Amino acid sequence: MRRPRRYAIVALLVLTAALVTLTVSAALRDSTPPQLYVEAPARLAVGAPLGLFVSADEPVTYTLEYGGERHELIEQDATFTVPALAGAQLASLSAVDGAGNETLHESLIVGVPTLEPVLQVAEIVTSGDPIGLHVLALPAADADPVTNAKVTDISLQVNGAAIPLRQEGAAYRGMLASPMTVDDSTIEAHLTVVDEFARRYDVTTPIVLEPLPVAVEQLRLSAATLSVITPEGRTLEAETSARILAGANPDPLWTAPFIMPIEGVSTSGFGDARRYEQGGPASFHYGLDLAAPQGTPIHATNDGVVVVAGAYPIKGGWVAIDHGDGLISHYFHMWQVDAVVGQQVHRGDVIGFVGTTGLSTGPHLHWEMRVRGAASNPFAWVGKTYP
């Protein structure tokens, strides 16, 4: 009877030792999950390397779930460079150490898509007409800054000349007077946009110019009429034009369509080629001549500020109105000027009266519309707020 009892006691002791060993082993086994340091971008350009960096306090197996795909790395420090996807995407990261302990981390990453700027401009333009250029499909000023790329630079050139752009909501606009030419030609508008991620977008659009008439009209002016053209007179008027152009208001001052200043009869069209003297050089007519009885009221073609008002040797009674945004209207040969420099005028206000002063052979209004100093066809503005 003693031997079985001794065996039972021995078995009990062995079992107790095993239980103690298991208890100690469990107590000594690593049960602490890995500690992680994670750097993840909040937003980045679509297609750019994700750049999610993670560091653990021990070697681990990383598993990244992003955009429906799994990516695994066995490292202590790791950087995931998978391409960023469009929109808000959850990047779920798991880190498992050798003991099977796991740490989870999630980051919301926004992939900002590329911009798709559109340059809208007429494909065919009559030489000398004003051209409106519109840049569309860019984020508005109040667009969500998280999901929309910010425009950091935008520029527009036509035949290498910079065209100022003005932002209006999600669009930009610019304008110019197309070159005056008697030849078939094409000019090129080139738009460049750069966003905050240094992504560059280039859009090029050709514009076909229809030529002006080639026929040259020989004006038959008396010596007395031509005598008003003197070097001093030319200098005075050129300096006046340069001064008002240099001080022009960059902001548009008008909101309504342009109107005719008078309802006269057109006696000389815009862009007509002419010679003032027999055998002299040919030149373009930079405005529109409208014949009307002397004393006919002349109206401001739109809102603006008077920048010239007075009598000049060649232009005669001259009023110029700065409409802002580089646009200035001119009215020549007035019998009487009824405006003063600095006066704010509204569309339709009377600014003077038709006459035949300066280089003129009869009562008429010479009317010009100049964009940053370049002449444009006045008729092309009538009834329009913008070209």
Side-chain angles (χ1 to χ4, degrees):
M1 295 296 292
R2 291 181 179 178
R3 184 175 295 175
R5 184 176 180 182
R6 186 182 303 146
Y7 288 154
I9 292 172
V10 171
L12 181 60
L13 290 173
V14 171
L15 180 60
T16 299
L19 289 173
V20 170
T21 301
L22 289 173
T23 301
V24 172
S25 175
L28 295 176
R29 183 173 63 86
D30 179 13
S31 61
T32 303
Q35 300 296 306
L36 301 182
Y37 170 77
V38 181
E39 290 182 356
R43 59 197 297 272
L44 69 166
V46 167
L50 197 60
L52 188 151
F53 171 78
V54 59
S55 177
D57 58 353
E58 59 181 313
V60 295
T61 298
Y62 294 113
T63 302
L64 175 68
E65 293 189 7
Y66 176 72
E69 296 184 355
R70 292 169 62 91
H71 308 272
E72 189 173 286
L73 291 173
I74 302 175
E75 299 283 351
Q76 186 165 350
D77 299 331
T79 299
F80 289 90
T81 58
V82 297
L85 303 176
Q89 302 282 343
L90 196 63
S92 300
L93 183 67
S94 166
V96 180
D97 64 16
N101 301 304
E102 183 181 27
T103 298
L104 300 176
H105 180 88
E106 290 185 337
S107 298
L108 185 64
I109 301 174
V110 177
V112 182
T114 57
L115 300 174
E116 297 181 356
V118 174
L119 177 57
Q120 188 179 78
V121 61
E123 296 180 357
I124 302 177
V125 174
T126 300
S127 178
D129 277 3
I131 299 176
L133 302 109
H134 302 265
V135 181
L136 309 176
L138 292 178
D142 58 352
D144 183 356
V146 175
T147 56
N148 289 277
K150 179 182 178 182
V151 174
T152 57
D153 187 60
I154 181 169
S155 62
L156 179 64
Q157 292 187 337
V158 175
N159 270 17
I163 305 300
L165 288 173
R166 176 170 300 280
Q167 186 173 13
E168 296 181 343
Y172 293 76
R173 74 176 192 185
M175 63 179 178
L176 76 153
S178 61
M180 300 175 70
T181 177
V182 295
D183 300 315
D184 291 318
S185 60
T186 300
I187 59 177
E188 191 172 80
H190 183 81
L191 171 71
T192 299
V193 178
V194 180
D195 70 15
E196 61 185 290
F197 303 107
R199 293 178 296 193
R200 176 177 170 138
Y201 313 85
D202 290 285
V203 181
T204 299
T205 301
I207 306 170
V208 176
L209 293 182
E210 295 183 337
L212 293 167
V214 179
V216 179
E217 177 188 6
Q218 176 64 60
L219 298 180
R220 302 187 183 281
L221 303 178
S222 67
T225 300
L226 291 173
S227 67
V228 302
I229 304 177
T230 64
E232 295 78 12
R234 288 185 182 277
T235 299
L236 171 63
E237 295 183 0
E239 289 177 347
T240 302
S241 295
R243 173 179 54 78
I244 64 175
L245 183 60
N249 193 322
D251 300 318
L253 304 177
W254 80 95
T255 57
F258 287 81
I259 62 172
M260 294 284 293
I262 64 171
E263 295 299 329
V265 177
S266 177
T267 56
S268 187
F270 173 81
D272 289 352
R274 47 179 33 182
R275 287 190 178 91
Y276 286 91
E277 299 181 48
Q278 188 71 36
S283 63
F284 289 122
H285 188 225
Y286 292 126
L288 185 66
D289 284 350
L290 299 170
Q294 179 154 319
T296 299
I298 300 169
H299 303 272
T301 191
N302 218 323
D303 297 354
V305 176
V306 176
V307 289
V308 176
Y312 287 79
I314 304 169
K315 293 175 172 53
W318 176 15
V319 170
I321 300 174
D322 181 0
H323 302 285
D325 204 14
L327 180 63
I328 299 176
S329 59
H330 297 263
Y331 313 81
F332 301 163
H333 309 307
M334 290 185 181
W335 163 62
Q336 179 179 318
V337 170
D338 198 21
V340 294
V341 172
Q343 177 184 350
Q344 291 187 345
V345 294
H346 300 286
R347 186 180 71 151
D349 285 354
V350 174
I351 57 174
F353 301 88
V354 170
T356 183
T357 56
L359 184 61
S360 172
T361 57
H364 76 286
L365 171 67
H366 175 96
W367 172 37
E368 293 185 3
M369 295 288 288
R370 289 183 174 262
V371 182
R372 288 183 293 280
S376 64
N377 188 351
F379 267 145
W381 289 94
V382 177
K384 298 178 182 178
T385 304
Y386 203 80

